[in-house]
Amino acid sequence: MDWGLKNRISRIIKPEDNRAVMLAVDHGYFLGPTERLEIPRKTIRPLLKYCDSIMLTRGVLRTSVDASFPVPIVLRVSGGSSIIGADLSNEKIVTSVRDAIRLNVSALAMSIFIGAKYEHNSLVNLGNLVNEAEEYGIPVLAVTAVGKELEKRDARYLSLSCRIAAEFGAHIIKTYYCEDFEKVVSSCPVPVIIAGGPKLKEREALELTFNAINAGAVGVDMGRNIWQSDNPVPMIKAVRSIVHEHANVQQAYDLFKKLVKEPQKPLAISQKQNNKQKPTKQKK
Ligand code: R5P
């Protein structure tokens, strides 16, 4: 593996333990202002220092993340359909590798839609993106099984999706947890991380995380189960404890409950100002 590619992957999957906590906040690219991600900066800011990397679009990156904060960026570059559009699987690469380099990203992310109407296009997108990104030593994260395809969430379907993504050259695969998840991981020759999916009770989300790690996932790319929690910071810390500190479900849940009871540290003044910008008066 080329030095640059290896270096970028190590920003995402920590070499100390081969594990990853990625915070997913890219939902708006097809869902619009998702609940509790309506003001991205407000959602992202308190969580930034607890994730190893963050997955988002260039629009949210440029407007809602401080360029001086050293968090590795996983940039979503596919899109083109919305939740109310004709077919979610009809995506193209909508952000150039050139712009991704300008943004100093650590990886590019795009979706593939196995079994969907636009399966072919999404796979060709993946092959082309890997060709281009590898020129610059940038890894590609393939996202599998979003939207309708999620209904087929079983080991057979997810193994098929993940394996195909790896065969096309994806360096990391994001998928969903399912029964017999070991089969998905063992038949995929590159690291697998899991999405959290729709909001669960906190204990259940921690169980999902634990089971996935136990079955061989290197980590999570989790969104709603963190920032739709009433207590997002305790939740991401509890997820981290499973991914990086070998906590079991009970230990992680106990940590979550303990952190919920602790008084929240007030935000620094500059952060407060950023979150609550006063409207400026228009000159007549
Ligand atoms: C979907 O295409 C997006 O990539 C999301 O980032 C993904 O669904 C992960 O977020 P969540 O944990 O909320 O499912």
Side-chain angles (χ1 to χ4, degrees):
M1 199 185 280
D2 184 59
W3 193 94
L5 195 66
K6 203 170 171 186
N7 177 265
R8 286 190 173 94
I9 290 176
S10 73
R11 296 181 202 160
I12 298 166
I13 302 172
K14 294 291 159 192
E16 304 84 58
D17 57 2
N18 202 36
R19 294 273 171 87
V21 174
M22 189 183 293
L23 178 68
V25 287
D26 61 324
H27 302 60
Y29 95 95
F30 72 103
L31 289 172
T34 315
E35 190 187 346
R36 301 210 178 172
L37 192 55
E38 293 92 342
I39 305 168
R41 177 175 286 270
K42 209 170 153 188
T43 306
I44 293 168
R45 188 139 203 161
L47 298 171
L48 262 188
K49 62 179 169 184
Y50 304 110
C51 59
D52 299 325
S53 64
I54 184 168
M55 179 199 193
L56 72 185
T57 59
R58 64 178 168 188
V60 167
L61 179 61
R62 284 200 166 100
T63 57
S64 312
V65 179
D66 293 334
S68 56
F69 195 88
V71 65
I73 303 299
V74 179
L75 191 71
R76 170 170 283 281
V77 295
S78 71
S81 297
S82 79
I83 192 72
I84 58 167
D87 194 318
L88 212 52
S89 71
N90 191 6
E91 287 195 349
K92 286 199 164 52
I93 300 303
V94 294
T95 300
S96 67
V97 172
R98 198 183 169 99
D99 201 27
I101 293 168
R102 196 179 291 127
L103 289 165
N104 196 26
V105 305
S106 297
L108 303 173
M110 60 155 297
S111 293
I112 59 165
F113 298 89
I114 301 299
K117 186 172 171 193
Y118 293 95
E119 168 190 271
H120 171 77
N121 288 5
S122 71
L123 286 173
V124 173
N125 289 343
L126 175 59
N128 289 338
L129 187 66
V130 170
N131 288 341
E132 202 182 344
E134 282 201 345
E135 291 271 323
Y136 304 98
I138 304 177
V140 173
L141 165 73
V143 178
T144 69
V146 173
K148 271 194 201 158
E149 308 316 305
L150 193 49
E151 289 157 19
K152 305 173 207 158
R153 185 164 28 164
D154 60 28
R156 201 161 166 229
Y157 173 73
L158 295 179
S159 299
L160 177 79
S161 302
C162 293
R163 177 59 177 267
I164 291 174
E167 299 265 352
F168 271 70
H171 305 90
I172 306 172
I173 316 283
K174 164 172 153 173
T175 193
Y176 288 84
Y177 180 72
C178 64
E179 251 181 60
D180 297 326
F181 195 65
E182 299 80 4
K183 287 185 186 164
V184 178
V185 176
S186 63
S187 58
C188 181
V190 298
V192 173
I193 55 179
I194 59 144
K199 173 80 173 71
L200 303 165
K201 287 184 180 153
E202 279 78 0
R203 198 181 199 290
E204 289 169 24
L206 294 172
E207 209 169 315
L208 179 91
T209 306
F210 179 81
N211 290 344
I213 296 290
N214 233 12
V218 302
V220 296
D221 180 12
M222 194 173 271
R224 290 162 288 179
N225 275 295
I226 291 172
W227 41 260
Q228 285 182 345
S229 168
D230 288 340
N231 298 284
V233 171
M235 190 56 189
I236 197 170
K237 286 185 175 177
V239 168
R240 272 195 86 82
S241 74
I242 293 174
V243 176
H244 282 304
E245 290 149 34
H246 307 285
N248 61 31
V249 179
Q250 193 55 48
Q251 288 166 331
Y253 190 55
D254 288 345
L255 173 68
F256 171 77
K257 288 189 296 185
K258 179 176 156 259
L259 294 170
V260 167
K261 282 188 199 144
E262 279 177 8
Q264 296 288 309
K265 279 189 193 150
L267 287 174
I269 291 168
S270 60
Q271 284 178 292
K272 273 187 193 165
Q273 281 168 346
N274 251 321
N275 287 347
K276 285 188 176 184
Q277 274 178 355
K278 285 185 186 150
T280 47
K281 280 186 184 164
Q282 298 279 314
K283 279 186 183 167
K284 283 184 185 168

